């Protein structure tokens, strides 16, 4: 068995859907399970409709709902091109889901507020619609697609908007729901991003969670491979929108890929890697629009014996919190006191550096920043600096070659770096700087680490 996941741009148009279905057809001997995102842009529209409903703007809500209905209908008609039982069945399913959302949004408009539970119910509709559309269209291509409601498989906690799957219960549900369909030679099609709490409520796994869903399903059924089909040729040495000369990485390890995803590489959701790690399931990142590209293979070991930088990623919208206090000098328990506050206020820390009397750390969630500062100020001076960025250089044994460090800092001689962090695993060297300088720093670093050596070799 393999799991094949398609992102929003891979199912966002008639041509893209046709291509995706051809990819599934070519893999049918490997017993695929398909996971799809919402059509590109649909989740944003659903969020916007929810916000308008909270403001009581029913005409605005109705306009968005009508647009969503029309878009899915137009794609269905274009794919089918003639009336059929399949088309009528899909339109009935579409109408049921759209009407359900319209009713929920009307209720929100009446009360002027939306609960996290109701919001999850709304934004999950995008994946439900795309997966129903994909399954019905597969049947028209003589493939035995069968729609499976993700809520019947992915069991989660009730942390709406960022739910955590229950691995054991999801594995049990997959054995009951998915494996029998595989045994019947059917191809299950599921919406990503969606689960159901143990109390029966719809939950979502966070934005970008369809990748995560694919990995969860892959682990639950013991898949031989998880394929993530997107709109780029694989994981790259840098964001190709910033660095035109960025190159595809042929093979990379789980830990390297996870670091890149967490620090801003857009190809994978940061959580995608970990469900596959325990069973060492390979993950392959591929391009729906360039099926001849071999993509990037992510495995436990990556390229054996490799060392040095593999890629660079950037994470913007970072805030640096500087905490200074003489109470740190020769004291114990001070750092524990600081991180107890961050833990209690549910604010994750990306990087941390310390000196005798100060701690500097970075965060990307500032919704509780005022509370953090308020609780830190009684025993420390606190200075907050926003509009920062983290550039992460990821690879193996990064500092084993002294020339690498020299090239890194020589390339940044005109860019002030405010924090530096090198993990004990020598896997990630992170540099903090003003966000406005981030793209320039990326360009200079990429040239120094990935281009000059190639030019010199040539």
């Amino acid at each position: 068995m393999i799991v094949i996941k398609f992102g929003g741009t891979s199912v966002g148009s008639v041509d893209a859907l046709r291509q995706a279905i051809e990819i599934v057809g070519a893999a049918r001997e490997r017993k695929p399970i398909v996971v799809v995102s919402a059509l590109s842009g649909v989740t944003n529209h659903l969020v916007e409709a929810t916000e308008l409903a909270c403001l009581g703007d029913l005409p605005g809500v109705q306009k968005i709902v009508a647009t969503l209905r029309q878009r899915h209908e137009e794609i269905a008609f274009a794919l089918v091109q003639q009336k059929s039982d399949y088309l009528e069945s899909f339109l009935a399913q579409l109408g049921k889901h759209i009407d359900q959302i319209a009713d929920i949004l009307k209720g929100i408009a009446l009360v002027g507020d939306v609960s996290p539970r109701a919001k999850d119910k709304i934004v999950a509709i995008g994946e439900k619609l795309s997966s129903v559309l994909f399954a019905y269209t597969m049947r028209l291509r003589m493939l035995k697609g069968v729609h499976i409601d993700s809520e019947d498989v992915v069991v989660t906690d009730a942390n709406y908007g960022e739910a955590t799957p229950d691995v054991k219960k999801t594995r049990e549900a997959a054995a009951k729901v998915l494996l029998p369909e595989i045994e019947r030679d059917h191809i299950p099609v599921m919406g990503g991003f969606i689960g159901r709490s143990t109390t029966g409520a719809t939950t979502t796994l966070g934005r970008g969670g369809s990748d995560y869903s694919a990995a969860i399903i892959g682990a639950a059924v013991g898949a031989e491979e998880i394929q993530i089909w997107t709109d780029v040729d694989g994981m790259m040495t840098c964001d190709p929108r910033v660095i035109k000369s960025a190159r595809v990485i042929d093979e990379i390890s789980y830990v390297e890929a996870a670091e890149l995803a967490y620090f801003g590489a857009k190809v994978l959701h940061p959580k995608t890697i970990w469900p596959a790690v325990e069973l060492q399931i390979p993950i392959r990142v591929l391009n729906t629009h360039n099926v001849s590209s071999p993509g990037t293979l992510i495995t436990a070991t990556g390229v054996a014996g490799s060392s040095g930088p593999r890629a660079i990623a950037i994470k913007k919208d970072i805030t640096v919190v500087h905490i200074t206090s003489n109470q740190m000098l020769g004291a114990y328990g001070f750092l524990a006191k600081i991180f107890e506050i961050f833990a209690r206020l549910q604010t994750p820390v990306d990087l941390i550096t310390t000196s005798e009397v100060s701690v500097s750390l970075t965060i990307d969630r500032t919704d509780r920043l005022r509370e953090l500062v308020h609780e830190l100020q009684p025993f420390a001076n606190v200075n907050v600096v926003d509009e920062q960025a983290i550039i992460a250089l990821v690879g193996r044994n990064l500092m084993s070659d002294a020339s690498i460090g020299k090239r890194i800092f020589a390339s940044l001689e005109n860019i002030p770096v405010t924090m530096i962090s090198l993990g004990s695993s020598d896997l990630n060297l992170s540099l903090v700087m003003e966000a406005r300088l981030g793209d320039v720093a990326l360009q200079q670093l990429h040239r120094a680490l990935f281009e000059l050596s190639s030019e010199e070799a040539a």
Side-chain angles (χ1 to χ4, degrees):
M1 285 180 291
I2 64 170
V3 175
I4 302 177
K5 180 264 174 180
F6 294 105
T9 56
S10 297
V11 294
S13 67
V14 172
D15 289 341
L17 269 166
R18 284 180 178 140
Q19 180 63 59
I21 289 168
E22 285 185 16
I23 289 168
V24 175
R28 60 182 175 271
E29 298 302 321
R30 299 181 69 186
K31 300 184 183 300
I33 298 169
V34 179
V35 176
V36 297
S37 297
L39 305 188
S40 55
V42 166
T43 302
N44 289 337
H45 284 307
L46 290 167
V47 172
E48 183 184 356
T50 305
E51 293 170 350
L52 291 176
C54 289
L55 297 173
D57 184 359
L58 274 178
V61 169
Q62 290 165 354
K63 182 178 178 180
I64 291 174
V65 170
T67 299
L68 292 176
R69 186 191 300 269
Q70 181 180 4
R71 183 179 176 191
H72 286 84
E73 286 181 349
E74 286 178 350
I75 289 177
F77 282 122
L79 287 166
V80 177
Q81 296 181 336
Q82 61 183 3
K83 286 190 174 182
S84 67
D85 292 341
Y86 287 141
L87 177 61
E88 294 301 320
S89 182
F90 167 71
L91 293 177
Q93 288 277 346
L94 171 68
K96 181 183 76 172
H97 288 306
I98 292 287
D99 291 344
Q100 181 186 44
I101 284 304
D103 290 341
I104 295 173
L105 290 168
K106 285 178 185 176
I108 292 169
L110 285 174
V111 300
D113 195 14
V114 58
S115 68
R117 176 172 174 165
K119 188 172 182 179
D120 268 13
K121 186 78 173 176
I122 293 166
V123 297
I125 289 295
E127 274 74 12
K128 290 187 177 183
L129 294 177
S130 64
S131 55
V132 170
L133 175 60
F134 201 102
Y136 276 99
T137 307
M138 281 177 60
R139 295 183 197 177
L140 296 172
R141 299 291 185 272
M142 307 306 291
L143 294 171
K144 298 178 181 179
V146 56
H147 179 255
I148 300 293
D149 194 332
S150 300
E151 295 176 74
D152 293 336
V153 180
V154 182
V155 183
T156 75
D157 61 15
N159 184 23
Y160 300 108
E162 200 77 34
T164 299
D166 183 312
V167 175
K168 183 175 182 293
K169 290 180 179 178
T170 298
R171 187 178 292 121
E172 292 170 352
K176 292 178 182 177
V177 178
L178 290 177
L179 297 186
E181 297 294 348
I182 296 290
E183 290 169 3
R184 296 186 191 105
D185 202 28
H186 291 164
I187 302 175
V189 181
M190 306 169 56
F193 178 58
I194 312 169
R196 178 182 288 147
S197 72
T198 52
T199 59
T202 300
T203 57
T204 62
L205 308 181
R207 294 301 294 268
S210 291
D211 288 352
Y212 191 22
S213 294
I216 292 163
I217 296 302
V221 300
E224 66 180 83
E225 183 174 279
I226 298 164
Q227 296 183 354
I228 307 293
W229 289 84
T230 180
D231 55 1
V232 294
D233 283 344
M235 299 195 77
M236 306 187 76
T237 52
C238 197
D239 187 340
R241 293 169 298 183
V242 180
I243 308 297
K244 302 301 182 185
S245 57
R247 305 193 302 266
V248 176
I249 303 168
D250 295 332
E251 189 170 348
I252 196 170
S253 67
Y254 290 140
V255 289
E256 290 170 310
E259 289 285 324
L260 287 169
Y262 183 78
F263 283 99
K266 304 296 184 183
V267 177
L268 286 179
H269 186 276
K271 294 180 180 177
T272 301
I273 305 298
W274 302 118
V277 169
E278 182 181 356
L279 299 178
Q280 297 198 1
I281 302 170
I283 299 173
R284 197 179 295 273
V285 181
L286 298 154
N287 188 350
T288 313
H289 312 296
N290 182 18
V291 294
S292 62
S293 171
T296 299
L297 180 64
I298 306 171
T299 63
T301 58
V303 179
S306 64
S307 64
R310 301 299 308 282
I312 315 173
I314 187 168
K315 191 173 186 179
K316 297 183 178 179
D317 298 321
I318 293 296
T319 296
V320 178
V321 181
H322 298 291
I323 304 163
T324 306
S325 174
N326 289 329
Q327 294 180 36
M328 284 184 63
L329 194 60
Y332 58 86
F334 189 85
L335 288 178
K337 190 175 182 180
I338 289 174
F339 284 104
E340 186 279 327
I341 294 172
F342 278 83
R344 181 159 36 82
L345 295 179
Q346 298 181 325
T347 304
V349 172
D350 291 323
L351 303 176
I352 176 171
T353 62
T354 64
S355 69
E356 289 289 344
V357 295
S358 67
V359 180
S360 296
L361 45 82
T362 65
I363 59 175
D364 62 2
R365 281 180 47 187
T366 57
D367 51 310
R368 307 194 74 174
L369 180 59
R370 182 172 295 185
E371 295 171 80
L372 279 169
V373 173
H374 176 74
E375 295 209 22
L376 291 167
Q377 281 179 330
F379 58 90
N381 294 318
V382 183
N383 181 32
V384 175
V385 183
D386 57 13
E387 297 184 4
Q388 302 292 292
I390 299 172
I391 290 184
L393 287 78
V394 175
R396 289 187 179 175
N397 303 313
L398 283 174
M399 296 294 105
S400 60
D401 182 347
S403 68
I404 292 175
K406 181 179 178 181
R407 284 151 58 194
I408 289 171
F409 293 106
S411 71
L412 297 176
E413 62 180 353
N414 61 332
I415 295 177
V417 175
T418 57
M419 283 179 63
I420 300 173
S421 175
L422 178 64
S424 60
S425 62
D426 215 9
L427 178 72
N428 180 341
L429 174 65
S430 293
L431 310 168
V432 179
M433 62 195 64
E434 293 182 48
R436 64 184 180 85
L437 302 173
D439 287 353
V440 173
L442 274 183
Q443 292 164 358
Q444 294 176 186
L445 281 165
H446 193 272
R447 178 170 171 75
L449 297 173
F450 299 103
E451 298 173 41
L452 285 179
S453 57
S454 297
E455 291 171 6
E456 290 164 0

